[in-house]
Amino acid sequence: MQQRRPAPRRQPPPRRRSSAHGAAGRLVGVAAVVAVLAGGAWVAVNEVAPSSTVVVERCTATADGGGGTGYDLAPDQAGNAALITAITQQRGMPARAATIALATAVQESKLRNIAYGDRDSLGLFQQRPSQGWGTEAEIQDPVYSTGAFLDVLAKVDGYADQPITVVAQRVQRSGFPDAYADHEPEGRAYASALTGYSEAALTCRLRPVGDTSAQAAGESGYWPRTQPVVDAFARERGTGVPVAPADEGAGVLIGSPAAAGATASEEQQRVGWSAAQWAVAHAADLQVVAVGTDGLQWRRDRPDEGWVAVPEDDAARLAPAGAAVVLVGGGREE
């Protein structure tokens, strides 16, 4: 396959902020949508219930297991980061592959599935139909474009042990190969959280879900509002991780929880945290209101609390060891 064109103009990275900083300052007023510039990307300011507080919608991955720098993305960027990482896992590739792919996508498109670029470049990785990456429609499908990138990455001998500038350049043939390394820290932070190696490291501040009415479960056992979570997980992660209805169809149990009284294995814990943080990263587009695993829960209506312990009596239902419970609008959060 003919390799690709020089990369478009270098893009600024997502905003970085120190973990020592407290919650972002609040602007009190009526519900509004205001554009602000964060790390070169325009993101929306939305009301967060139940108060009239207005904040910037964002997701944050913290490096070094929660003790390092935080890297902010808008919700759509975080969702694409989750998709890219899940596809590397579906293919059985190491976390380093996700770091490389994420850093590349930040540089090429700011982690957005854009319909424009240098010459005929398109999508997350700015791939060109004229250079054999696929049709325009295929490249604009994030699952396809990520797979195409990983197909080439997998052919680079020793890619997991080489500098990101070398590996990404072998795949992309960019005119600015050194720029990929600029985005390695945030790529590593998101990859580590989304593969489950960093626990409780990814959170989001989001506007409330509009529809919280109860629904009847369909033949699959899921609410209509829950089914997109199941479909998205299967599309991105594949069928290697089991899923089942939870909370009478208002939720999804992802993974195999440890037996009552047993301790989850390291692999079970990683699967649980990977699925949980994948769901948080996708919470904006999948109407997710709460995600729990390993005795901890993230709640959309409590954006300043991060991951907090749930009562022991509720842990098996809301935050089981070795698996994740994802609840959509209308699910019983407590």
Side-chain angles (χ1 to χ4, degrees):
M1 177 177 66
Q2 185 178 357
Q3 293 297 329
R4 47 175 269 127
R5 47 80 187 162
R9 185 176 57 189
R10 175 176 169 178
Q11 306 288 0
R15 184 177 61 173
R16 306 179 184 184
R17 60 185 182 83
S18 170
S19 60
H21 291 174
R26 296 182 173 182
L27 301 176
V28 179
V30 297
V33 177
V34 182
V36 298
L37 187 63
W42 290 92
V43 295
V45 176
N46 294 285
E47 183 184 14
V48 173
S51 70
S52 60
T53 301
V54 178
V55 299
V56 177
E57 278 202 312
R58 69 169 183 270
C59 295
T60 304
T62 305
D64 302 323
T69 300
Y71 297 92
D72 291 348
L73 293 175
D76 66 310
Q77 295 171 305
N80 285 327
L83 178 149
I84 289 170
T85 304
I87 294 173
T88 67
Q89 293 174 289
Q90 181 182 159
R91 291 174 171 233
M93 301 177 80
R96 179 64 175 172
T99 297
I100 295 167
L102 291 173
T104 302
V106 171
Q107 167 62 22
E108 296 289 0
S109 69
K110 300 181 190 175
L111 272 171
R112 288 195 158 110
N113 188 29
I114 54 179
Y116 57 87
D118 177 53
R119 288 171 281 188
D120 59 338
S121 302
L122 297 167
L124 287 170
F125 296 94
Q126 288 291 279
Q127 294 155 333
R128 296 180 61 188
S130 64
Q131 293 192 339
W133 286 101
T135 66
E136 290 185 7
E138 286 173 334
I139 292 171
Q140 287 274 258
D141 175 358
V143 173
Y144 174 90
S145 64
T146 299
F149 176 88
L150 296 176
D151 285 343
V152 180
L153 176 64
K155 296 175 182 178
V156 178
D157 290 339
Y159 70 83
D161 300 317
Q162 295 188 48
I164 196 168
T165 52
V166 174
V167 177
Q169 177 66 355
R170 289 280 301 276
V171 179
Q172 298 292 96
R173 302 299 183 187
S174 169
F176 304 94
D178 294 338
Y180 297 118
D182 294 344
H183 309 298
E184 183 172 358
E186 59 262 38
R188 186 185 302 113
Y190 276 89
S192 185
L194 290 164
T195 55
Y197 283 92
S198 292
E199 300 177 357
L202 195 157
T203 61
C204 292
R205 296 175 61 89
L206 306 170
R207 66 176 181 268
V209 169
D211 187 359
T212 58
S213 60
Q215 295 182 321
E219 292 183 4
S220 64
Y222 299 103
W223 285 9
R225 197 179 301 130
T226 312
Q227 190 65 49
V229 178
V230 180
D231 295 342
F233 190 78
R235 182 172 62 251
E236 298 176 19
R237 188 66 185 272
T239 58
V241 178
V243 299
D247 194 23
E248 300 177 350
V252 185
L253 173 67
I254 304 177
S256 301
T263 301
S265 68
E266 287 188 13
E267 178 60 24
Q268 282 180 303
Q269 286 183 309
R270 276 199 296 271
V271 170
W273 276 109
S274 174
Q277 293 180 118
W278 172 91
V280 173
H282 272 304
D285 55 280
L286 294 177
Q287 303 186 71
V288 172
V289 296
V291 181
T293 188
D294 202 22
L296 300 177
Q297 188 183 49
W298 167 86
R299 286 183 52 156
R300 188 177 186 136
D301 64 344
R302 299 177 182 176
D304 295 323
E305 296 183 6
W307 292 89
V308 298
V310 300
E312 186 174 349
D313 291 345
D314 294 328
R317 179 174 65 88
L318 295 175
V325 169
V326 182
L327 298 175
V328 300
R332 294 178 295 166
E333 298 163 276
E334 59 184 7

